[in-house]
Every structure is written in C-alpha cells, then in structure tokens.
Amino acid sequence: MVYNQKWKIFSLVAVSIFMSTLDSSIVNVALPYIMQEMATDISTIQWVVVIYLLTVSSLLLTFGRLSDIKGRRLIYVAGFLVFTLGSFLCGVASTVSFLVTARVVQGAGASMLMACSPALIVDVFEKEQRGRALGMIGAVVAAGLTLGPVAGGFILEYLSWRYIFYINIPIGIAATIAGGFLLKTIPGGKGSREPLDSVGSLTMIIGLSSLILGLTQVTTWGILSFRFVGCMMMAGLAGVGFIINARRCAHPLFDLDLLKIRLFVLPLVTSGLLFAALFTIVFMMPFYLTYPCGFSAGKTGSIMIVPFVFLLFISPVAGGLADRLGSRLLCSFGMVLLGLSLVSLISLFPGMETLAILWRMALAGVGTALFVSPNNTTIMGAVPMARRGIASGAVATARNLGMVMGVALATTIFTSSFTHLTQGVGLDNYTPAMVPYFMISFQKVMGFGAMIAFAGAGIAYARGKE
C-alpha cells in the first residue's frame, strides 16, 4: 500500500532529529559559559551532558515499546511537548541543580522522539524506498551535528547561552501541532493495546543507568573502587532480572524472540561497535589538536566537523545503494574504512600539514556514512511492524551505548598510559615536554579503536545476506 503522506511525515521526523542533534552539539559548546555564569566546576557541569545521555538511553526501549502499544502518534506528539517543556525549563534555570533536572525532562522528550523516528519511516515508506529515506535521515543527523557548533558560536557571541534552549520552543510547538494532524492515519497508528511491562521497564532503566554511570565515571572513581564495582554489579543483576522477567511476562518490554532474528541481532551489535570505534576519534582528536598541535579552538572545531560533512552528503547515497545492492557489503566496507582511518591516525605527529589530518578524518566520515543507513534499514526491515518500536529503541540504545563505551574506553586507556609515563602527572598539567608521552597514549587509543572497527567489519560480513 502506498501511503501518500510519507514525505510530510519524513519532514516531521527530520525536524525532531535535527532538533535533538543540534541541541546536543550546541550544549557542548555552551558548557564553559554556563559554568562561568553559575560559578561551578567542570566535575559538576559535566552532569548537564551525562544526565541527558543517561535519561535518553534508559528510556528508549520503554518508549519504543509504548509506541507499539499506544500508537506512534501519541508518543511522538507527547515527545515534542515534553522536549519543548524541558527546553523552556533549561532556559530559565538559575542553578546547576535545576538545569540538570530540566535536562532530565528534555532527555525524556528526546527519547520519545528518537524511539519512534526510525519506526515511523519504516511504517510509511515502501520497502524499496526505506534505505533512501533512512539515508536522508542520516544526512539530517549530520546536518544537526555540523551546524550545532556554528549556531552555538553565533548565539553565544550575540546572545545568552539560554537562547540555545529557547530556540527549540517555537519549533517544538509547531511540530507538536503538525504531528497531531499528520499522524492521524499512519499504518498501525492505533497500536496493539497490549499492557506495558513495568517490571521490564524498571530493570532496564536501573541496568542501563548503572552501566552508563559506571562507564562514564570509571576514570574518576577507579576500576576497583566500591562505587564502580557496585554500578557494574547493579547493572548485571538488573540485566538478569530483565531476562527472567521477559521470559515470564506475557507482553515483555523486549521481545526475546527478536534475538532469534539474525538480521536484527548482528547488525545491532555492529552498530554499537561502529559508534564505539568512531567515538574514540571524536573524543580524543580535540585533545590532540589542542595540546600537541597547539591549534586554536576555531581551527580544532573546523577539523572536527569534517567527518560529519561527509556523513551529510554520503548517507543518502548509501541508503539508495542499499535499496539496490543490499547492505552486507556496504556495512562491511564502511567498517573497514573506519578501521583504516583509525590506523592512519596512529601515524599522526605534531607539525603535520592540516591536509594530512583532514583526509584521515574524512575517511572516518565516509566509512560511517556507508554503514549507518544501510545497517538501520536491515534492522528495521527484519522485524514485524508490531515490534518496530522496540527495534527502533534498540537501535538508538545500541548507538548511545557505543558512544559511551567509546569515550569510556578511550579515557581509561589514555589516562592509564599517560599518567604511567609521566609518573602520575595528569593532562591538566600538560607541558610541551610531554608530547612523546601524549602521542604514545594517543596511539594506543587509536589502535584499540581500530581493533573494534575491524571486529565489527567481520561481524557485518559474517551476518550473511538479507
């Protein structure tokens, strides 16, 4: 059946994706200004980012399942409302604690939008056009990530940091109204009306929150600390409880039968691995460009945009190719290119021409673009319509977990190596004499990231054809 509103719904989904990605990159740029105005320190202000990530990751599967049960229209429109409310509360926040709390509200709204977006695209587009549509969504993600620092810089130069949140309010109100009208007649819009698995939702929230909290704080707490070990034990126990409940519950939060679908499980695993490998680059490169290279913030930002620019232009092409050629070879080749980018970054040294850095970063962007939309098309196309909300939430959860693990592993490897070589001196006391120690530690991180990428390439190829 051809659904004649599909491109209007695509535009609505694109707005939600653009808002969430733009907001994320703008907030990172604004953190130093927020820290100054609220007279706090970096260890406190980091929670503006961490709590958002915790909230989104913990609630994705719950809202994905709710969209299957209640219908995507209700969850999606509610997501715009909650995200807009959260943006307003962030803008008026007068203390760090209030701002962090407001980010929880904003993160809850973002998780509603993220959980539904891929499922909506797959629901309304025919099989032959899904890859192209999801590829264009990948381009929207890249546009948000690319324009975020530019828009943030403009707002921070001429206005208060509060306007990075206020800008979401008129867009969110308009999108809420449009969603109420456009999503009335979507396929499967009424939902299955099954009960929500509240026990599964609670154990998922506890498990993912404990895991992400432990991974993001491991370098501060120490790998043998009571708090880190406690977080890992809590995550493990919650995971066991989640599986036991899923087997006993008539309508579980996550359908364990999906784990029997080869083209759901293996692409999901490779998605997590890709983002873990990619974020070793995204996290470490600004430090390399700032410390050993001595580049300004403006030049560093311009270089860091490069992978996302390639993602912007190549994602739609990759999605269209996947519609005709299938995703297996594209995903495998994309992971190989990302691995080669990481290998090439091992050979960097201060004083190299900027062009030598740019082509290495571009290679990472091309590899990521070739992978993401074909892989998502495979995952979403492999599950029945009644479970696409779960699959959509699982895709976003795998992506977020990959990002967190990439940052956590890069931080752990770099910090342990650097402090060992400098006999306990941290990066906050960096001097030019430490360049050799920095580069050795940097190379270890890039090498580890390359191993993750090549392992992902093997899994992407081993999963077989559609």
Side-chain angles (χ1 to χ4, degrees):
M1 181 183 74
V2 177
Y3 183 71
N4 58 13
Q5 298 284 328
K6 58 189 176 186
W7 288 110
K8 291 181 181 179
I9 290 174
F10 174 88
S11 299
L12 183 68
V13 171
V15 168
S16 70
I17 296 293
F18 185 78
M19 280 175 63
S20 58
T21 53
L22 183 75
D23 186 77
S24 174
S25 52
I26 285 181
V27 168
N28 289 335
V29 172
L31 285 179
Y33 299 86
I34 299 172
M35 185 171 67
Q36 282 183 348
E37 182 174 320
M38 295 191 169
T40 187
D41 55 32
I42 193 169
S43 62
T44 302
I45 207 67
Q46 70 169 334
W47 282 99
V48 174
V49 175
V50 172
I51 201 69
Y52 184 84
L53 181 62
L54 274 170
T55 305
V56 172
S57 301
S58 300
L59 295 176
L60 276 168
L61 273 180
T62 298
F63 286 125
R65 178 63 180 139
L66 271 176
S67 77
D68 288 334
I69 295 170
K70 302 292 185 181
R72 307 216 207 285
R73 180 192 179 205
L74 176 63
I75 304 303
Y76 209 63
V77 172
F80 273 118
L81 276 173
V82 174
F83 186 85
T84 304
L85 174 62
S87 297
F88 171 76
L89 294 174
C90 287
V92 300
S94 57
T95 64
V96 175
S97 58
F98 189 95
L99 178 58
V100 169
T101 304
R103 287 285 279 174
V104 172
V105 178
Q106 196 182 37
S111 66
M112 294 182 193
L113 298 174
M114 290 181 189
C116 292
S117 295
L120 273 172
I121 294 296
V122 176
D123 284 350
V124 302
F125 279 87
E126 300 83 36
K127 184 178 180 180
E128 295 76 17
Q129 293 184 321
R130 287 172 186 166
R132 178 189 173 200
L134 288 170
M136 292 172 70
I137 288 295
V140 173
V141 171
L145 292 170
T146 304
L147 293 176
V150 178
F154 179 84
I155 290 172
L156 291 166
E157 186 171 350
Y158 296 103
L159 301 166
S160 163
W161 61 264
R162 297 177 187 277
Y163 283 87
I164 68 175
F165 297 110
Y166 289 150
I167 196 173
N168 294 326
I169 296 173
I171 300 171
I173 292 172
T176 301
I177 296 169
F181 286 104
L182 278 177
L183 301 179
K184 281 183 179 179
T185 59
I186 58 171
K190 294 182 180 179
S192 64
R193 302 299 172 182
E194 296 167 350
L196 177 66
D197 175 17
S198 55
V199 174
S201 180
L202 181 62
T203 52
M204 172 63 72
I205 291 170
I206 293 172
L208 286 180
S209 296
S210 300
L211 177 64
I212 294 174
L213 181 62
L215 290 175
T216 53
Q217 299 298 307
V218 63
T219 51
T220 303
W221 294 344
I223 199 167
L224 298 178
S225 67
F226 175 78
R227 284 183 288 185
F228 176 74
V229 173
C231 280
M232 294 300 102
M233 288 180 65
M234 182 67 74
L237 289 172
V240 171
F242 180 84
I243 293 171
I244 293 172
N245 175 75
R247 287 176 175 170
R248 294 177 178 177
C249 184
H251 302 288
L253 179 68
F254 182 84
D255 188 351
L256 294 180
D257 286 340
L258 292 179
L259 299 180
K260 299 175 184 177
I261 302 174
R262 169 178 51 88
L263 293 178
F264 172 78
V265 175
L266 295 181
L268 205 63
V269 171
T270 53
S271 178
L273 292 175
L274 175 119
F275 283 99
L278 176 65
F279 266 67
T280 59
I281 299 175
V282 172
F283 180 73
M284 285 305 308
M285 281 302 294
F287 292 99
Y288 166 76
L289 298 171
T290 301
Y291 289 107
C293 294
F295 291 167
S296 66
K299 188 172 183 179
T300 297
S302 299
I303 292 172
M304 292 307 299
I305 284 173
V306 170
F308 303 119
V309 170
F310 280 87
L311 193 64
L312 173 64
F313 291 106
I314 295 176
S315 283
V317 178
L321 285 174
D323 289 333
R324 295 194 298 271
L325 305 176
S327 65
R328 183 190 188 189
L329 290 178
L330 284 172
C331 292
S332 303
F333 186 56
M335 289 289 274
V336 168
L337 286 182
L338 179 59
L340 291 175
S341 170
L342 282 150
V343 169
S344 69
L345 289 169
I346 295 174
S347 62
L348 284 179
F349 60 87
M352 291 183 81
E353 293 184 1
T354 304
L355 184 61
I357 303 172
L358 293 179
W359 73 256
R360 288 167 166 84
M361 298 291 284
L363 197 60
V366 173
T368 302
L370 288 176
F371 176 91
V372 173
S373 55
N375 196 65
N376 288 351
T377 302
T378 299
I379 293 172
M380 299 306 298
V383 301
M385 179 179 286
R387 294 293 180 265
R388 283 179 186 159
I390 295 176
S392 184
V395 168
T397 301
R399 178 178 66 240
N400 280 2
L401 285 176
M403 292 176 182
V404 173
M405 289 179 183
V407 171
L409 290 169
T411 304
T412 301
I413 294 168
F414 181 87
T415 303
S416 61
S417 174
F418 187 78
T419 53
H420 173 72
L421 292 170
T422 59
Q423 297 181 341
V425 179
L427 195 59
D428 51 340
N429 293 311
Y430 179 85
T431 64
M434 296 178 182
V435 168
Y437 308 136
F438 183 102
M439 293 311 302
I440 291 171
S441 306
F442 175 83
Q443 289 161 2
K444 288 180 180 178
V445 174
M446 295 300 108
F448 190 80
M451 288 191 289
I452 294 174
F454 289 133
I459 296 172
Y461 187 80
R463 69 170 170 80
K465 298 179 179 179
E466 290 88 337

